[in-house]
Amino acid sequence: MATSLMLFWLFTSVTVIIIQCVAGATESPETIRLDTGGLSRESFPEGFVFGTATSAYQVEGMADKDGRGPSIWDLFIKFPGREPNNATGEVTVDQYHRYKEDVDLMAKLNFDAYRFSISWSRIFPSITPYANLNHYDLPLALQERYNGWLSRDVVFMHPLVYGEYPKTMQNIVGDRLPKFTEDEVKMVKGSFDYVGINQYTAFYMYDPHKPKPKHLGYQQDWNVGFACMDDPGNITLPKGLHDTTRINYFKGYLAELKKTVDEGANVIGYFAWSLLDNFEWRLGYTSRFGIVYVDFKTLKRYPKMSAYWFKKLLHRNKN
């Protein structure tokens, strides 16, 4: 029984690694003098891991080639109107063929590691791989056979710490929530080594002033409205490269993260989302989160100002 399988990607004893997701002039970004706000690699503990992240379906392409079976997303997007401009992940940014270029780019930007998810096995030789077992693209066969993440063979983070689902979740979901046996509680409680938190940029939550929905589900259970901001997919290359808002976000976030580390929090790494502009799930190609701009027609990569900001931040002093 795969009871210990988690929706969160695991990393290594009660240690947290943060993965951040944010969205975002004529001077080249590489030549601009960038302010790290006093942050540097040396300001974090020795061995602190800095990386960047992507997920397989969002960047690889070759969705139905080389023996890859369908995922739940391949089926989902077959229905017209579910994606802006009926976008798909069949090509996305073609990392399947361009992974060496992308790994070289990460190395040049001074990143230590690459957090990626797997559709099929990959080994990158020049940068430490941090494999994410699932990033939304659950194999369709597992969805059909086990009812996917609703299966009692799968648990989320809270039961692995406390041996039960959160009380708020129990109150909202009620009888639809699986119940653990005593043996299952013993099996899952404390069964992790390291935890990676996939933390997205803040959503502004608001009361939609609507009655409780008839058809219940993950987001319907919340019964809230939410909104966020990012760079639009049609932003021009010159403007997209000068992503000062993204830099300010990373700078502010990492400054606060460093404070928690200095105060004793056991955080040993940080992975920025995302390396590349890509297929952004329900938003298709209408939103850009990457620190590298991708021309979706030519698939050429252009590091943004935020990429060079990280390069400066992660510079290693030879002494």
Side-chain angles (χ1 to χ4, degrees):
M1 182 180 292
T3 313
S4 61
L5 185 62
M6 290 191 293
L7 176 63
F8 291 90
W9 68 279
L10 294 184
F11 186 33
T12 283
S13 103
V14 191
T15 302
V16 176
I17 292 187
I18 302 295
I19 311 164
Q20 190 88 43
C21 168
V22 295
T26 59
E27 190 176 357
S28 170
E30 191 171 8
T31 63
I32 293 176
R33 186 168 182 174
L34 299 169
D35 175 23
T36 65
L39 295 170
S40 68
R41 180 181 290 277
E42 286 69 31
S43 64
F44 286 82
E46 184 178 356
F48 193 93
V49 178
F50 282 98
T52 187
T54 66
S55 84
Y57 191 78
Q58 291 180 266
V59 297
E60 286 184 352
M62 293 285 283
D64 59 353
K65 302 293 192 306
D66 280 4
R68 180 186 178 275
S71 73
I72 53 177
W73 269 86
D74 293 291
L75 177 63
F76 178 79
I77 63 175
K78 284 185 181 297
F79 294 88
R82 286 186 169 173
E83 288 287 332
N85 305 312
N86 292 318
T88 75
E90 291 180 5
V91 176
T92 182
V93 295
D94 193 33
Q95 193 175 81
Y96 183 87
H97 293 109
R98 299 168 184 257
Y99 70 92
K100 292 183 180 179
E101 172 188 350
D102 291 340
V103 170
D104 287 344
L105 181 56
M106 285 181 275
K108 290 176 181 176
L109 293 174
N110 294 327
F111 284 106
D112 307 315
Y114 181 29
R115 195 231 82 175
F116 58 94
S117 67
I118 297 174
S119 282
W120 53 89
S121 297
R122 293 198 181 281
I123 298 176
F124 296 136
S126 65
I127 195 164
T128 305
Y130 282 67
N132 180 19
L133 296 182
N134 176 270
H135 194 119
Y136 290 139
D137 54 344
L138 185 73
L140 184 59
L142 296 184
Q143 175 70 30
E144 294 175 340
R145 182 169 180 176
Y146 298 108
N147 201 22
W149 294 112
L150 298 180
S151 170
R152 67 175 294 104
D153 289 345
V154 178
V155 296
F156 302 113
M157 190 66 236
H158 198 276
L160 298 180
V161 179
Y162 300 104
E164 65 176 8
Y165 289 105
K167 295 297 183 185
T168 53
M169 191 174 180
Q170 295 179 39
N171 294 335
I172 294 172
V173 182
D175 293 338
R176 290 179 289 143
L177 201 62
K179 300 291 190 298
F180 294 125
T181 66
E182 289 186 12
D183 287 341
E184 288 172 338
V185 170
K186 292 178 181 177
M187 182 186 298
V188 302
K189 187 175 180 180
S191 60
F192 59 89
D193 295 316
Y194 294 76
V195 177
I197 297 178
N198 201 352
Q199 180 180 357
Y200 282 75
T201 188
F203 281 101
Y204 294 93
M205 315 300 290
Y206 60 89
D207 184 350
H209 300 292
K210 293 182 180 179
K212 189 173 182 178
K214 288 184 179 180
H215 303 289
L216 300 180
Y218 175 56
Q219 290 189 350
Q220 287 78 8
D221 283 335
W222 302 352
N223 197 25
V224 297
F226 53 93
C228 72
M229 298 176 63
D230 58 27
D231 283 342
N234 62 356
I235 192 171
T236 62
L237 175 59
K239 190 172 182 180
L241 294 181
H242 289 71
D243 56 344
T244 54
T245 300
R246 180 177 287 104
I247 289 176
N248 290 333
Y249 185 88
F250 280 131
K251 186 192 306 181
Y253 188 92
L254 285 172
E256 295 303 313
L257 176 62
K258 182 182 180 302
K259 287 181 183 178
T260 67
V261 173
D262 293 342
E263 293 168 359
N266 193 10
V267 184
I268 65 167
Y270 176 91
F271 289 73
W273 184 272
S274 171
L275 173 66
L276 304 166
D277 293 338
N278 55 52
F279 175 81
E280 193 49 53
W281 303 120
R282 292 298 299 273
L283 299 176
Y285 298 101
T286 65
S287 182
R288 293 178 179 271
F289 287 95
I291 61 173
V292 175
Y293 184 100
V294 178
D295 185 319
F296 292 133
K297 293 181 179 178
T298 67
L299 302 180
K300 184 174 175 58
R301 277 80 159 134
Y302 301 89
K304 301 178 186 178
M305 195 187 302
S306 57
Y308 292 111
W309 183 85
F310 269 112
K311 181 178 182 179
K312 180 178 180 180
L313 172 73
L314 303 180
H315 173 75
R316 287 183 173 85
N317 291 324
K318 294 183 178 180
N319 295 330

